[in-house]
């Protein structure tokens, strides 16, 4: 079932959910659906595609998130993404930054549901993989009861395979992108009502979810949960995903085991000229709340940024940690 594929996802986050982060997250959970950072259609069509879209085969299932509003550009970009091997194409209708608004994509498109629907229809005609939409419950003075329903019905009628809803409004006038992640109140019940109104459409909830235990509570009401900052700031939580949400064994018993499994990938990337910090910056929160976590972070922060840093830096940082099961660190 397509809804089962979306049971647990990690959120697309600018300057964070790059390929190195996703490779690391895949070691922690085999079942999570991973999302790229948002890539604009202009960048996909005219930019360095290998740099922007390239990913490691271990990342599957992985989705490409696009930013754009022109149906023809979305169609072209979706086809390019499918050719690169992505398992899903997602359109961003939730990002509230000024740059996004000026480019007529992101959350401002909540005011143009028919335009979004035209983009979805164009992408659906171009690719065989699922096409999904990530949105807010509304923007500015919109009534979420009306705005979310209008967008959802328009894109589903156009063929959207699933809807990912950040359960907050976005205030495009008056709040910064950072403030938009916290200040508008969460309204999970609005997303639950959307699921009740559209029982045959996979609905995934996002926004302010801090743990796998909270994710399980939401799954009583919707088809899937998307974890954002908690997954990136405290990645150890992802070790709980497979056993808690899918009834399967976790890929590695401890974070130490998972980090050691990352070493071959690190060595391959360093051999291609990448600097260690590009990878280790995603590992900083691996031991949050565990004895030695501060020393681990400090060592990576101090030595991981050096031009000659190698995988040994990570191994030495791990020596400081007294590891215990993630559940105990909650």
């Amino acid at each position: 079932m397509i809804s089962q594929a979306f049971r647990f996802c990690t959120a697309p986050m600018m300057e964070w959910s790059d390929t190195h982060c996703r490779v690391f997250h895949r070691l922690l959970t085999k079942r999570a659906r991973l999302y790229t950072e948002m890539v604009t259609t202009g960048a996909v069509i005219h930019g360095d595609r290998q740099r922007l879209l390239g990913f490691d085969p271990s990342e599957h299932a992985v989705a490409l998130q696009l930013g754009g509003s022109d149906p023809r550009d979305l169609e072209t970009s979706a086809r390019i993404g499918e050719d690169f091997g992505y398992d899903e194409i997602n359109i961003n209708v939730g990002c509230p930054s000024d740059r996004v608004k000026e480019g007529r994509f992101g959350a401002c498109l909540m005011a143009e549901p028919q335009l979004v629907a035209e983009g979805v229809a164009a992408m659906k005609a171009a690719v065989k993989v699922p096409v999904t939409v990530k949105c807010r419950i509304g923007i500015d003075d919109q009534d979420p009861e009306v705005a979310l329903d209008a967008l959802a019905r328009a894109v589903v009628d156009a063929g959207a395979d699933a809807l990912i809803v950040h359960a907050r409004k976005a205030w495009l006038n008056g709040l910064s992108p950072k403030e938009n992640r916290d200040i508008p109140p969460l309204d999970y019940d609005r997303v639950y009502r959307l699921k009740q109104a559209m029982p045959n459409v996979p609905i995934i909830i996002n926004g302010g979810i801090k743990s796998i235990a909270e994710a399980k509570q939401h799954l009583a009401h919707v088809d899937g949960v998307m974890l954002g900052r908690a997954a990136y700031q405290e990645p150890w939580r992802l070790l709980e995903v497979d056993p808690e949400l899918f009834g399967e064994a976790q890929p590695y018993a401890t974070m130490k085991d998972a980090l050691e499994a990352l070493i071959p990938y690190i060595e391959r990337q360093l051999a291609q000229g990448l600097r260690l910090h590009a990878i280790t910056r995603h590992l900083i929160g691996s031991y949050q709340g565990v004895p030695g976590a501060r020393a681990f972070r400090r060592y990576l922060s101090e030595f991981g940024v050096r031009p000659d840093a190698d995988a040994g830096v990570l191994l030495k940082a791990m020596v400081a940690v007294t590891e215990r099961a993630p559940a105990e660190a909650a």
Side-chain angles (χ1 to χ4, degrees):
M1 291 177 58
I2 192 167
S3 61
Q4 189 70 12
F6 295 98
R7 185 170 173 81
F8 183 84
C9 316
T10 59
M13 293 184 69
M14 294 299 292
E15 299 182 353
W16 200 262
S17 54
D18 63 18
T19 187
H20 311 305
C21 183
R22 298 191 306 266
V23 166
F24 172 46
H25 285 179
R26 179 57 70 219
L27 289 172
L28 307 178
T29 165
K30 293 179 180 177
R31 295 300 301 271
R33 198 169 189 88
L34 309 179
Y35 284 72
T36 70
E37 303 170 89
M38 182 186 67
V39 187
T40 66
T41 54
V44 171
I45 294 169
H46 304 292
D48 181 343
R49 292 177 190 170
Q50 188 56 49
R51 180 181 64 82
L52 292 166
L53 303 180
F55 64 93
D56 190 87
S58 68
E59 296 177 39
H60 290 295
V62 57
L64 170 64
Q65 187 183 67
L66 295 174
S69 58
D70 183 278
R72 290 168 299 180
D73 289 348
L74 287 166
E75 175 185 352
T76 301
S77 299
R79 188 179 292 112
I80 291 169
E82 184 180 52
D83 289 345
F84 260 80
Y86 283 97
D87 301 291
E88 171 196 338
I89 308 297
N90 175 267
I91 180 172
N92 184 318
V93 189
C95 181
S97 79
D98 291 337
R99 183 176 67 85
V100 165
K101 183 168 61 172
E102 290 166 5
R104 203 183 181 197
F105 54 91
C108 64
L109 291 176
M110 291 292 301
E112 300 186 78
Q114 284 309 128
L115 180 61
V116 180
E118 289 172 22
V120 168
M123 290 190 288
K124 282 294 292 182
V127 301
K128 294 183 174 62
V129 296
V131 171
T132 64
V133 176
K134 187 174 190 292
C135 66
R136 295 280 184 133
I137 60 173
I139 55 172
D140 298 331
D141 293 321
Q142 284 185 329
D143 178 351
E145 296 300 325
V146 176
L148 182 58
D149 188 70
L151 182 84
R153 294 197 180 281
V155 299
V156 168
D157 287 347
D161 294 290
L163 198 64
I164 303 163
V165 186
H166 186 152
R168 283 187 175 95
K169 268 191 174 185
W171 287 92
L172 304 182
N173 298 302
L175 293 181
S176 70
K178 183 177 185 299
E179 290 170 331
N180 262 301
R181 292 196 294 266
D182 296 299
I183 292 177
L186 286 158
D187 189 353
Y188 295 135
D189 286 341
R190 176 64 190 97
V191 186
Y192 298 166
R193 290 195 296 276
L194 179 67
K195 177 58 191 177
Q196 291 167 1
M198 307 183 82
N200 298 320
V201 179
I203 303 294
I204 299 91
I205 198 167
N206 170 234
I209 302 166
K210 296 181 175 61
S211 69
I212 305 308
E214 286 185 28
K216 291 177 79 170
Q217 294 173 2
H218 287 295
L219 288 170
H221 305 279
V222 292
D223 302 287
V225 173
M226 177 175 274
L227 209 65
R229 279 172 288 170
Y232 301 105
Q233 294 171 353
E234 300 174 330
W236 57 266
R237 293 187 183 277
L238 297 180
L239 284 171
E240 302 175 339
V241 169
D242 293 5
E244 292 296 322
L245 302 185
F246 294 93
E248 299 175 3
Q250 59 195 54
Y252 293 95
T254 66
M255 182 60 76
K256 178 176 183 290
D257 294 335
L259 291 174
E260 288 177 346
L262 186 63
I263 296 294
Y265 175 80
I266 292 174
E267 291 176 337
R268 290 196 303 273
Q269 293 297 314
L270 296 181
Q272 295 173 25
L274 190 76
R275 290 183 53 166
L276 181 68
H277 178 65
I279 300 174
T280 55
R281 72 186 186 94
H282 298 299
L283 314 181
I284 295 296
S286 294
Y287 289 109
Q288 189 71 26
V290 171
R294 184 176 299 174
F296 174 82
R297 293 194 301 269
R298 186 167 57 241
Y299 195 91
L300 282 188
S301 298
E302 180 178 350
F303 294 99
V305 298
R306 297 185 177 184
D308 61 346
D310 61 19
V313 170
L314 175 58
L315 293 172
K316 289 176 182 176
M318 290 161 59
V319 171
V321 178
T322 303
E323 189 154 25
R324 61 176 186 250
E328 296 179 45

